[in-house]
Amino acid sequence: VQLQASGGGLVQAGGSLRLSCAASGDNLIDYAVAWFRQAPGKEREFVAVIRASGGGGGRTYYGDSVKGRFTVSRDNAKNTVSLQMNNLNPDDTAVYSCAAKRFAILSVLRDPQMYDYWGQGTQVTVSS
């Protein structure tokens, strides 16, 4: 599967952005799809994941720093996964990447090394 992330940009603190991860080559419905981010000089950080629609039940999980502000969702008709980001703050500034893994079990969902497919990153910059 090939992934393409889009939707990044420059936004003021308190604003919102919506990122999209579009897939081709396979149907994302059977994949866990996660978002990670990496700021300059920092390690890659887990942001959110949505499990496969079948065995995973489409459940969602979030990193502590984004819980309550970000929402991950699927559009199966468009074969995309989106990340709605609200109430952004400068600490959210980073390159955001989407990743997918088929038949992912719960214990590996937050580990970027366990993902098999990655999209290119999209820059999100939040000004104060």
Side-chain angles (χ1 to χ4, degrees):
V1 63
Q2 292 80 44
L3 305 175
Q4 183 169 0
S6 62
L10 174 64
V11 64
Q12 288 188 332
S16 299
L17 280 175
R18 187 177 182 87
L19 306 183
S20 291
C21 180
S24 59
D26 204 352
N27 196 330
L28 275 183
I29 198 169
D30 293 326
Y31 291 77
V33 179
W35 288 93
F36 294 89
R37 68 186 183 185
Q38 189 164 21
K42 295 186 177 181
E43 293 187 355
R44 184 173 287 172
E45 177 187 7
F46 168 76
V47 175
V49 63
I50 185 165
R51 297 192 70 178
S53 299
R59 296 180 183 88
T60 58
Y61 303 89
Y62 298 91
D64 289 341
S65 62
V66 307
K67 202 172 295 183
R69 300 187 298 124
F70 291 11
T71 303
V72 61
S73 61
R74 289 183 183 271
D75 185 334
N76 292 330
K78 295 181 179 179
N79 207 24
T80 61
V81 169
S82 296
L83 182 69
Q84 178 66 42
M85 306 185 296
N86 297 330
N87 195 20
L88 287 160
N89 62 65
D91 289 339
D92 295 316
T93 295
V95 175
Y96 286 70
S97 301
C98 58
K101 181 175 179 60
R102 200 167 184 177
F103 306 130
I105 59 176
L106 182 60
S107 62
V108 305
L109 291 178
R110 297 171 183 255
D111 184 352
Q113 296 186 12
M114 301 305 296
Y115 283 80
D116 302 310
Y117 306 98
W118 288 82
Q120 87 291 356
T122 185
Q123 177 70 46
V124 172
T125 302
V126 184
S127 62
S128 57

